[in-house]
Amino acid sequence: MNQASQMMTGNLAAAWGARLADVDYVPAFPITPQTEIVETLSKWCAGGELNARFVTLDSEHSMMTAAGAASATGARVFTATSSQGLLHAFEVLYTVAGWRVPFVLVNVSRALASPITLEPDHNDVLAARDSGFLQIHAETCQEVVDSILMAYRIAEDPRVCLPVMVNLDGFVLSFTREPVVLPEPAMVHEFLPPFRPAHLGFKASAPHALGTAVVGGSIYTYFRHQIHLASMNGLAVYDEAAAAFERICGRRYAAIDGYRLDDAEDVLVMTNASASKGKAAVDAAREEGRRVGLLRLRLIRPWPAEAIRDALQGRRAVAVLDQNLAPGQGGILFQEIAACLYHEALRPRALCSFIGGLGGKNLSEGEFRAIFEQTAEAGVRGKGIGPVLLYTEAEHREMQQMQYLAHELKTGR
Amino acid sequence: MLSIRFHGRGGQGAKTASRIVGTAAFLEGFTAQDSPIYGAERRGAPVAAFTRIAKKPIRERGLIARPDLVVVADASLIGDPSARVLDGVDERTVLFVNSPLTPDQLRARTSVSGRLTVLDLTDLALKQFGKRGAISALLGAVAGRLAGLRPESIREAIVRELTDLGLTAPVIERNQALAMQCFEAVQPVTLEPGPRAPVPSAQLRTPTYDPPTRGTAGITAGPNSAIRSVSGWRTFRPVLRPDLCNGCWLCFASCPEGAITIKPDGKPAVYYPHCKGCLDCVEVCPTDAMTVEREPEGANK
Ligand code: SF4
Ligand code: SF4
């Protein structure tokens, strides 16, 4: 067993996930910060390291359609996109979920236009939360490759048969190298049996139709509800996959990841790569005597409500740091956390909503300190706060300088 | 944990330097993490890269706010506020600057103070290679020396990273040899890693509603980029030798900044405030009429 690690970016780890899963078909369209994934796969397909058909399409809309269609033939399919690309494919996300085609899509998070930018936040991936895709959000490069393998096993399970999205943050993971251990092909083989879907297998000799038209609502209701049930089955299937992965590869990924929760009075909830910084902030706060912990949400769809309730009930205060903003509402995950705690007799005394890291804005030590201080105060008061925007006086002064350049500074002509 | 922040201009090799240090540390059994940050790709624009080295798993990510070592590939970045070279630099931070000036001269001419070490990598590269190019291996070797890494691991890391970029073996060997010279030549300054004093709670501010004229991303001030100089981006400047110029205008057509105009006599002229020093015009010139001069430090502001 070769457990030697190597330095690799999140993007390279994602490409390795597809390679180890021995995918058959990769429809592709480039977009920053995802491009390195499909570039790497194209090189491997050309060089014979990966025995798959690599096809570049004219857009993400076509790419996602091709992914669904190829999956419907019984091929194992991988594709990747980011941000505007995911949104360009939006119509098709819902469509292929209804086909119940179990392929894996990697999304490299990047904030959405306008204004246009390159750096990450989660409005892109969370916009797709109601599509029927399952969603796993990764914190480390290691998790990226491991999650892709888990995603195939979960997606292809007959109790689920839905596409799965694996999310990684642009820049902070996609372009960041850190040590990664690649699972041995034999381990992957044991963990991920060959794909043999019962309801798929389109062939010219055996035509059938998927996603046929229905009218009247009741038929639609039945099928749409089937997608919901399939997704909910994903909870148990996920846990089984996590247990099998741990047995075979030695690394465990629960649906939620608790950090120093045991005696924590106040808990910060986060997702994705910035949760690493949150954990460092927890360590720093603990050194100053604050009893705080962090809950990272890894499985976002299906929503592991039971596990979240268990982790958060009885706490003094809970802060949700949303790296997204739903205009006219607030933080997306805050709403879901609040909803699943409402019926709990031992629900936290205060729920606090923070919006931060938008457009890749750095989550600073000072901001984490502000979160812990304000959350503790809210817990003592017994009344939640928010949404609180993580944006500083100093940043606003710079913003005003930019506005001067954009609107007031004249060229002298 | 040791935190190293690299500042360079697009094309100078700051990202590769951060990877050389990351790989060298990794080869020595440390946990390492490296990452670059840049905007829409533009040669000459400020870029930064980060390497973290630790004995334990690294929980920090993204930009390094309080570096133990700052490696500056181009002294002109110090005066560029958008490069943020001195952000989070305190009395314990060590700065390495690629410059022909002495530390005292640099302190006198720029805003740097404190713990400083200097070496003219650009000059070494010019003398050794006879042309300008990325100095990633040299930066990596210097940073590795200051970080206390071993020469063998840096040599190996240079091979791995430059091979990854598709460079040929002879080019890599030349880079490696010069990098090891720099490794020896740089005046070491002892790094002082370890926890910094805690930062205060962030002074948060929620902006109030502004009318759409102001609250929408847009520019109404007209084309004022014309009054912005990018002279400070240059390490080298293109200089025309009119006697060699055949008036083909290839330089004019290939300048990404539109900094070249054509005079009534049909010959090009460089408008230096808009010239970022990418030297594309030099590359395309068929008669070698566009020549290269190194900018004297501090003179091109
Ligand atoms: S004049 Fe030459 S060196 Fe200057 S920006 Fe244009 S192409 Fe680059
Ligand atoms: S490319 Fe060279 S020869 Fe052609 S116009 Fe420019 S300077 Fe003259």
Side-chain angles (χ1 to χ4, degrees), chain A residues 147-342:
Chain A
S147 298
I148 290 170
L149 299 174
M150 287 178 64
Y152 276 107
R153 177 161 161 149
I154 298 161
E156 292 170 3
D157 191 293
R159 291 166 288 176
V160 176
C161 244
L162 282 171
V164 179
M165 206 177 291
V166 173
N167 192 68
L168 63 131
D169 279 333
F171 286 80
V172 270
L173 222 50
S174 74
F175 298 159
T176 297
R177 293 195 318 168
E178 56 188 12
V180 172
V181 177
L182 290 177
E184 287 293 306
M187 295 175 172
V188 177
H189 210 256
E190 186 187 346
F191 174 72
L192 190 60
F195 180 36
R196 290 208 188 78
H199 79 293
L200 300 173
F202 266 56
K203 288 203 257 307
S205 56
H208 57 278
L210 264 184
T212 39
V214 296
V215 283
S218 58
I219 307 171
Y220 182 87
T221 302
Y222 169 82
F223 286 125
R224 184 79 181 150
H225 185 244
Q226 285 295 311
I227 298 174
H228 173 62
L229 294 177
S231 183
M232 293 308 287
N233 282 348
L235 288 170
V237 174
Y238 178 95
D239 288 344
E240 289 171 25
F245 193 85
E246 184 182 21
R247 180 171 51 77
I248 298 165
C249 300
R251 290 180 293 278
R252 177 164 184 81
Y253 301 103
I256 56 169
D257 165 27
Y259 184 72
R260 303 189 77 167
L261 283 185
D262 284 353
D263 64 340
E265 307 185 272
D266 299 340
V267 176
L268 171 61
V269 179
M270 291 183 72
T271 63
N272 288 283
S274 296
S276 297
K277 302 185 74 165
K279 290 172 180 175
V282 164
D283 290 345
R286 286 238 171 205
E287 261 166 44
E288 294 173 8
R290 287 187 187 277
R291 283 202 285 135
V292 294
L294 186 138
L295 179 71
R296 178 172 65 98
L297 308 177
R298 208 178 105 77
L299 184 64
I300 301 286
R301 284 291 180 275
W303 182 247
E306 203 60 46
I308 293 170
R309 269 199 289 273
D310 284 350
L312 296 182
Q313 65 173 342
R315 309 291 175 181
R316 182 176 68 178
V318 167
V320 182
L321 173 43
D322 269 290
Q323 236 176 305
N324 63 75
L325 176 58
Q329 169 59 284
I332 294 170
L333 295 173
F334 175 78
Q335 309 302 330
E336 302 208 354
I337 294 278
C340 80
L341 288 173
Y342 183 79

Side-chain angles (χ1 to χ4, degrees), chain B:
Chain B
M1 187 173 71
L2 198 61
S3 303
I4 309 174
R5 196 169 74 202
F6 295 81
H7 294 275
R9 297 199 173 277
Q12 275 180 328
K15 171 184 168 187
T16 305
S18 77
R19 285 189 165 204
I20 288 169
V21 177
T23 296
F26 177 73
L27 290 170
E28 291 186 24
F30 292 102
T31 307
Q33 181 203 75
D34 53 58
S35 60
I37 192 140
Y38 40 78
E41 276 169 53
R42 187 177 180 199
R43 191 137 42 112
V47 296
F50 315 101
T51 307
R52 294 181 169 94
I53 302 172
K55 296 212 171 85
K56 295 188 296 187
I58 295 171
R59 294 214 191 278
E60 289 297 329
R61 290 196 176 281
L63 76 82
I64 290 174
R66 294 200 285 173
D68 301 307
L69 171 63
V70 174
V71 176
V72 186
D74 190 323
S76 70
L77 290 163
I78 298 169
D80 183 342
S82 70
R84 298 174 177 273
V85 171
L86 299 178
D87 272 17
V89 169
D90 62 19
E91 63 292 339
R92 273 162 58 193
T93 312
V94 171
L95 254 86
F96 168 81
V97 184
N98 167 25
S99 166
L101 303 181
T102 65
D104 284 337
Q105 286 171 323
L106 263 181
R107 283 191 195 96
R109 292 199 201 172
T110 66
S111 48
V112 298
S113 57
R115 310 177 71 216
L116 191 60
T117 179
V118 171
L119 190 64
D120 191 356
L121 304 181
T122 308
D123 187 55
L124 286 167
L126 264 180
K127 286 201 180 111
Q128 197 78 16
F129 303 148
K131 62 171 186 156
R132 316 105 2 222
I135 49 170
S136 48
L138 319 191
L139 288 169
V142 165
R145 171 76 187 274
L146 294 170
L149 297 173
R150 292 198 288 265
E152 314 83 71
S153 43
I154 291 169
R155 293 177 68 93
E156 172 62 20
I158 289 172
V159 174
R160 291 196 188 187
E161 295 312 318
L162 298 191
T163 305
D164 216 39
L165 293 178
L167 299 187
T168 59
V171 175
I172 294 173
E173 264 166 45
R174 277 208 304 273
N175 269 283
Q176 211 185 27
L178 188 56
M180 295 333 284
Q181 271 185 41
C182 298
F183 183 92
E184 296 300 334
V186 68
Q187 189 66 42
V189 182
T190 313
L191 299 188
E192 292 178 17
R196 296 294 212 260
V199 289
S201 195
Q203 288 296 309
L204 298 183
R205 161 172 190 155
T206 304
T208 50
Y209 181 78
D210 278 325
T213 46
R214 197 174 171 81
T216 313
I219 297 169
T220 58
N224 60 29
S225 61
I227 57 180
R228 179 167 183 226
S229 169
V230 291
S231 276
W233 292 20
R234 288 194 304 267
T235 314
F236 298 94
R237 67 161 59 197
V239 176
L240 179 72
R241 283 192 48 189
D243 53 316
L244 294 180
C245 173
N246 67 10
C248 71
W249 296 8
L250 278 175
C251 56
F252 165 76
S254 61
C255 174
E257 300 297 309
I260 297 180
T261 52
I262 302 296
K263 293 181 300 182
D265 67 356
K267 300 269 169 85
V270 177
Y271 180 62
Y272 287 102
H274 287 174
C275 166
K276 64 182 183 179
C278 69
L279 305 181
D280 282 1
C281 53
V282 176
E283 292 297 325
V284 297
C285 177
T287 65
D288 293 333
M290 274 294 180
T291 61
V292 178
E293 279 177 20
R294 186 171 178 191
E295 292 286 358
E297 195 93 335
N300 57 349
K301 296 286 151 6

